[in-house]
Structure formats: structure tokens, C-alpha cells
Amino acid sequence: MVTAEQDFREAEPRKVERIVAGQTEEGALWGGRFSSGPDYTMQRLSKSTHFDWRLVSYDLDATIAHARALAGAGHLTAEDLETVIAALETIREDYLADRVHPRESDEDVHGALERILIERVGETLGGSLRAGRSRNDQIATFVRMYARDTARALRNVLVECVRILIQRSEDVGDSAMPGRTHFQHAQPVLVAHYLLAHAWPLMRNIQRLDDWSVRNNVSPYGGGALAGGGLGLDPQAIAAELGFESVQPNSLDGTSSRDVVAEFLYITTQIGLDVSRLAEEIIIYSSAEFSYFSLHDAFATGSSMMPQKKNPDIAELARGKSGRLVGNLTGLLTTLKGLPLAYNRDLQEDKEPLFDSVDTLLVVLPAMAGLLSSLTFNLETMERNATAGFSLATDVADFLVRKGVPFREAHEIVGALVSHCEHQGIELHEASDEDLAAISPHLSSDVRSAMTLEASLSAKSGRGGTAPEQVAKQRAELAALVDALDKS
């Protein structure tokens, strides 16, 4: 019996003879002090081009800025600079057109691009660009650039989701639904209030991305391997060209810290969690037992066996993907927790969870936006259940408080009323005047004014409450925040 490992070994023979003594390995950025190439298992473990190749554009941007800095410090001639920039831009064109790819021998994106550049401009000029920089400060910078761009993309789709929830909250008017705690009937709320309750967390995630972007807007480039560059290059000029506001004040910190990546992954995880909570309720409320929501055919799937099924797959996948996001964050935090200064190869593990979390959300969020925009709300069903489960009991207790009854006593009185109605199989408003009086002399017939849906909703008139006028105010407040984002 051939094992999977044996089969793989037969398909991929060992490759060791790669470095000639005293020379740098092709596709890598080291090797002069080594007398032989890396063992195949070492090479396979070390290789990262299968995931860091997506950083090509950032590497090219930084290499162009670096070349200008080298020329500014007298290490490249104007002619050499022009040649290098032209070659790098050609590489970019080929990359975008999918005409250039890493080789099996390329260790990482940095080595692959140096190899390609050398092929086009020669070893002397192509190899000279490595002066004054390290893979350590390069990758720390590229990860920030990638996260910066993807944060904008995530921000845009989050804004779209918030706008959709605002619009849907207008669509439902002043219709009511059951509000829940412990997923049991608690108090009635407007459907609009419920929808906006899911919009606010997404808005906070947008604000988190904006706050994070300030801390991310600092360039590690110029930190070298750990101690800073020694060729008199201007890291501030490179930072400005790459779109950063400033340079890291400590090269050790700049090349070895990944808290900015961990913070970004926390935000992506929080986005996933907030979307997952909404997805969970869509799954439940679209079931036959509730029938509060109906899924559009374009955002549901069927069953391969049961022809009647209409499954909330988007919501389920959004809920499931949140676990993946949590795993990415947890994995990176565990990697970072014991690393000494400065760079350690463990930090290679920062990119795959980052890429995966971004890719995941950029698939999940647009699908959820479509689901939300096409969802049908069965308002009559929701409103019919809004006062079920004795959910007006607190309003009756509040009514008694307004009449001077201490809340502790009012709570006991209304609890006894609920118990009576439960045993009789009736709702609160169906109790007779005699029943009310028998329970407490405080339960006079005028208490019935508190036993209506309209009275319950209108009473919640403080800021943040579910009264129609307050919901309208919070909708306007949220819309103003979103509009302000477009201007920032």
C-alpha cells in the first residue's frame, strides 16, 4: 500500500543542489555563507509564494520608491533609476495581465520579483536594489499597505449594508414585532427599531476601521532587518510615496510588531460576529414556525431531495464563516504571544489569516447585502404576535408606578395577574374587572389603557426607545453618520 506521503515524494523529487558555494540562491535573497542548498522539506516549509504573490503590486510600489531613495542618496545614477522604474512598471503590467508567475524555486514574493527584475535589467543593476532594505521591513510595510486597501473595500460594503438596513427600516413604517430577551417574548418593538439595532454594530465596525487606519498609517520601511538602514536613505520620503503619514519611530518595533494586523483581524472578526447574529435571526424568523421573513428566490437554495425546501444558505454560510474569522484571529494571537524582538520567521504566519479573513468578508458581505435588500417582511404576522406572551406586563407595572405604587409591589401585582391569566388561558386584556380587583385594588379598570400595543410603543419615548418618533430620530442620526462618511 502506497501512503500519501510516499505518493507525494514520488511526484515531487527532492531538490537540494541549488546553491553554488558563495552565491545567492535563485529566487531567494540569501545563501552566500551556505555551502549547499536547502533540503526539499526545508524549502517546502519555507516557501510562501503560494500566498504572498498577491503582494506583488505593493512590492513594486515600494521598490520604485526605494530606487528613488537610492538615487537620491547617490547609490543609483539617473539613467539606472529610469531603467529600473521602466522595468518594474513592465513587470506590473505583466502581473496584472497574468503573464508573469513565480517559479517553484522562488522562496517568496521578494525573491521572485528580484529574480524577474534581474532577468530584465541584469544582475548588477537588478541586484543593487537590495541595498539598504530587508525582507523584514519590506513585508511589515506591505502587510500594512494591503490591509489599508482592503479596509477601504470592507468599509465600502459595510456602508452599503448600513444603508440597506436604514432603507428597510423606512420600508416597514411603524409596524411592530415581538422584542425578546433570552429569546422569549419580552416587550413589543418597532420592526424598524429591530432593523436599526443590527445597523448600529455595523456602523461601529466602520468607525473601528477608521480608528485603526490612524494607527496603521505609519511606515516600517527603512527599519532594515532590525536596526535601521545604514546607507543614508530617507525613510520619510519613501513613506510619503507609499501613502503613509509618518515613519515608525523604533525600527525594532516596526519590523517585528504585528499588533496592527491583529487589531485588523479583530475588526474583521467582530464584523463576522455581528453579521452572524443577524444571520441567525434570519434563519429562525424565516422558518415556518415564525414566518416573519420570506427569502427571495435569488438569495435562497433548494434541496437535492426535498422539492419543497427553500433554504437560507447565505445566512447559514455567513454564520458559519464567522467561526473561520474567529479562528484566524485566535491563530495569529497565539503565534504572536511569545515572540522575542525582532523579526522571527513565525511572522510569516500573519498573512494567510489576514488574506483569508478579507477574502471571506468580501464574499459574505455582498451576499448578505443582497439578502437584506430582497427580504420580505411579513408585517401582519409580526404585529399579531407583538403582544403575545404577556409582553405588555411591564407596561401595566409602569402604569401602577405612575399611580404611586412602588415598583416592587407593582411587580408582584402584575406577576400575580400574569399567573392568573396563564392558568385561565387568556391574555392580560381579557381579564375581567372582577378578576383585576380580586388580584389587587390597584388594578382598576383604567389599567386597560396600558394594555395596548400603541400605548406600549408610545411610552418608550426616551432617547433610544422604540416609540415611533424616537425611531425616526435614530434613523436620521444614523443616516447623517453614514452621509458624513462619504465626506471624510
Side-chain angles (χ1 to χ4, degrees):
M1 179 177 178
V2 178
T3 66
E5 182 181 0
Q6 289 171 332
D7 184 62
F8 179 81
R9 287 290 188 161
E10 291 172 1
E12 297 285 345
R14 295 171 68 89
K15 304 167 186 175
V16 177
E17 307 284 341
R18 281 252 175 80
I19 297 178
V20 178
Q23 294 185 1
T24 298
E25 181 186 12
E26 180 189 80
L29 301 179
W30 54 274
R33 60 94 67 211
F34 290 82
S35 59
S36 69
D39 182 80
Y40 174 66
T41 57
M42 167 66 188
Q43 185 183 51
R44 184 165 172 248
L45 176 62
S46 181
K47 183 177 176 180
S48 62
T49 51
H50 54 291
F51 59 81
D52 66 13
W53 187 244
R54 70 167 67 191
L55 297 175
V56 164
S57 290
Y58 303 109
D59 198 313
L60 293 173
D61 288 340
T63 300
I64 290 171
H66 184 71
R68 289 197 177 102
L70 285 170
H75 302 295
L76 281 181
T77 67
E79 182 181 356
D80 286 343
L81 176 62
E82 183 178 349
T83 300
V84 163
I85 291 178
L88 291 170
E89 291 296 357
T90 301
I91 293 172
R92 189 195 307 277
E93 292 173 7
D94 290 342
Y95 168 73
L96 295 175
D98 199 32
R99 292 192 296 261
V100 63
H101 306 93
R103 290 179 180 172
E104 183 65 27
S105 59
D106 292 332
E107 185 176 37
D108 53 34
V109 64
H110 320 293
L113 289 177
E114 182 181 274
R115 172 187 58 77
I116 294 167
L117 180 63
I118 287 173
E119 290 172 356
R120 300 190 182 195
V121 302
E123 186 169 354
T124 299
L125 180 55
S128 67
L129 296 185
R130 198 189 306 172
R133 66 177 181 174
S134 164
R135 287 187 297 181
N136 298 357
D137 62 343
Q138 285 181 270
I139 196 59
T141 305
F142 302 162
V143 166
R144 285 173 178 254
M145 294 171 71
Y146 171 85
R148 178 180 64 195
D149 287 351
T150 54
R152 293 180 186 133
L154 291 174
R155 188 182 190 270
N156 289 339
V157 72
L158 283 172
V159 168
E160 180 186 1
C161 289
V162 172
R163 288 194 185 280
I164 289 170
L165 287 168
I166 291 173
Q167 180 59 55
R168 299 316 309 271
S169 77
E170 292 182 354
D171 296 342
V172 298
D174 291 339
S175 297
M177 67 182 293
R180 299 172 182 275
T181 61
H182 307 276
F183 210 69
Q184 305 298 310
H185 282 244
Q187 293 180 286
V189 296
L190 292 188
V191 179
H193 194 59
Y194 163 82
L195 292 170
L196 292 173
H198 281 295
W200 284 106
L202 299 183
M203 184 66 206
R204 289 194 294 274
N205 287 319
I206 295 168
Q207 293 168 333
R208 288 185 181 103
L209 285 171
D210 289 346
D211 292 342
W212 166 87
S213 68
V214 176
R215 287 179 289 281
N216 185 61
N217 200 17
V218 182
S219 173
Y221 210 96
L226 74 161
L231 295 180
L233 307 186
D234 183 0
Q236 184 59 54
I238 296 176
E241 186 167 343
L242 298 181
F244 289 99
E245 185 175 311
S246 60
V247 177
Q248 283 276 46
N250 186 297
S251 59
L252 276 171
D253 177 47
T255 57
S256 64
S257 295
R258 293 296 186 274
D259 54 301
V260 72
V261 180
E263 183 181 359
F264 185 81
L265 285 185
Y266 161 70
I267 298 171
T268 62
T269 302
Q270 188 62 57
I271 293 168
L273 295 180
D274 291 332
V275 170
S276 179
R277 294 179 67 200
L278 174 57
E280 169 77 0
E281 292 182 348
I282 291 173
I283 293 165
I284 293 171
Y285 287 152
S286 62
S287 66
E289 287 79 5
F290 284 88
S291 296
Y292 290 175
F293 303 159
S294 295
L295 305 172
H296 192 284
D297 285 355
F299 292 94
T301 67
S303 165
S304 61
M305 180 179 184
M306 297 169 283
Q308 85 282 5
K309 292 299 295 297
K310 192 173 188 179
N311 298 325
D313 282 24
I314 288 176
E316 291 174 340
L317 287 167
R319 184 178 61 182
K321 297 288 188 182
S322 66
R324 183 179 188 135
L325 298 171
V326 171
N328 288 337
L329 172 62
T330 304
L332 179 62
L333 291 175
T334 305
T335 297
L336 298 178
K337 71 176 180 63
L339 296 186
L341 292 173
Y343 184 85
N344 298 274
R345 195 61 183 272
D346 312 52
L347 292 176
Q348 181 169 300
E349 296 301 308
D350 67 342
K351 285 170 284 299
E352 286 183 284
L354 172 62
F355 298 158
D356 183 72
S357 290
V358 168
D359 291 344
T360 296
L361 283 181
L362 289 180
V363 172
V364 167
L365 290 176
M368 281 296 292
L371 176 62
L372 291 170
S373 64
S374 64
L375 204 61
T376 297
F377 300 110
N378 302 319
L379 301 177
E380 184 178 334
T381 301
M382 285 191 276
E383 188 148 317
R384 185 170 59 248
N385 290 318
T387 59
F390 308 109
S391 62
L392 299 178
T394 304
D395 296 282
V396 176
D398 289 344
F399 177 86
L400 296 180
V401 169
R402 288 194 293 271
K403 292 180 65 174
V405 180
F407 185 79
R408 180 182 178 85
E409 183 180 352
H411 190 284
E412 295 295 324
I413 292 171
V414 178
L417 172 60
V418 169
S419 179
H420 169 80
C421 292
E422 191 172 34
H423 283 97
Q424 295 297 316
I426 59 177
E427 293 293 332
L428 296 180
H429 69 275
E430 295 176 315
S432 66
D433 289 348
E434 292 77 15
D435 290 337
L436 295 175
I439 292 170
S440 171
H442 294 299
L443 292 175
S444 53
S445 60
D446 58 350
V447 76
R448 297 186 186 281
S449 64
M451 297 179 180
T452 68
L453 176 60
E454 294 74 16
S456 175
L457 294 171
S458 62
K460 313 305 187 301
S461 57
R463 174 173 168 77
T466 197
E469 68 273 13
Q470 284 299 324
V471 172
K473 287 180 180 179
Q474 70 157 300
R475 181 190 298 117
E477 181 180 346
L478 182 58
L481 285 174
V482 176
D483 290 342
L485 292 174
D486 295 336
K487 301 172 184 176
S488 60

